[in-house]
Amino acid sequence: MIEIKEITAEETYPLRHEVMYPNHPFEYIKLPKDQEGKHFAVVNNAKNVTVVSLFFENDNAQFRKLATLESEQGKGYASKLLDFIIAYAKTKNAKKLWCNARVNKTNYYKKFGLKETHKTYTEAGIDFIILEMDLI
């Protein structure tokens, strides 16, 4: 059975590392403010298959480290989780939701209403663009 549940930051780490930065040290995937965030997982048969972290600052919410196990990609789990966090951020009265998206994933995020900004950067050899959407 598939469900979305809140998890701890530490429970996101193995999946973040395996999917996003497997060639970096494990510590690389930890975020300085992880303990301040809300962390969610799509759970399938008692296993976290997709994770994301959500951080609130003032009227804004940022999601980070959305990752799905490679064997589970293409099954709609990340989409379910994104729909969930968009709705969740609205319940917390966030006015804007944003993320640092890998450039090659931009079109995926646009399907949810996120729009490109002109803010870009490169980290660990990966090009990123900031995407955002208004929630009100």
Side-chain angles (χ1 to χ4, degrees):
M1 178 171 149
I2 297 167
E3 65 176 324
I4 294 175
K5 70 175 191 175
E6 189 170 344
I7 60 174
T8 66
E10 291 75 16
E11 289 174 292
T12 70
Y13 296 164
L15 212 152
R16 279 184 192 176
H17 187 253
E18 178 181 340
V19 174
M20 303 185 88
Y21 297 102
N23 298 322
H24 286 75
F26 189 79
E27 295 295 314
Y28 186 79
I29 53 82
K30 296 180 181 179
L31 298 171
K33 294 187 176 185
D34 263 338
Q35 298 311 314
E36 298 171 25
K38 293 283 189 180
H39 310 277
F40 301 96
V42 173
V43 181
N44 186 10
N45 294 322
K47 182 177 183 180
N48 292 344
V49 295
T50 302
V51 297
V52 71
S53 299
L54 187 62
F55 301 89
F56 292 91
E57 186 172 331
N58 301 321
D59 292 338
N60 297 322
Q62 178 190 19
F63 68 91
R64 300 189 67 183
K65 306 295 185 196
L66 177 65
T68 300
L69 286 172
E70 191 172 334
S71 63
E72 302 298 320
Q73 292 178 6
K75 297 180 180 179
Y77 298 142
S79 295
K80 285 182 187 352
L81 198 49
L82 269 177
D83 285 338
F84 175 86
I85 64 165
I86 290 168
Y88 183 86
K90 287 178 181 179
T91 70
K92 299 298 183 188
N93 300 314
K95 293 182 177 158
K96 184 179 286 187
L97 180 69
W98 65 284
C99 71
N100 302 318
R102 292 177 186 219
V103 169
N104 66 337
K105 301 293 185 185
T106 304
N107 287 334
Y108 174 77
Y109 292 116
K110 286 181 177 179
K111 294 188 288 187
F112 296 88
L114 288 140
K115 295 177 173 52
E116 291 183 37
T117 68
H118 296 290
K119 302 170 193 163
T120 62
Y121 65 96
T122 301
E123 181 181 313
I126 299 167
D127 294 327
F128 290 86
I129 185 167
I130 294 176
L131 303 177
E132 60 185 30
M133 69 185 296
D134 290 326
L135 297 176
I136 56 169

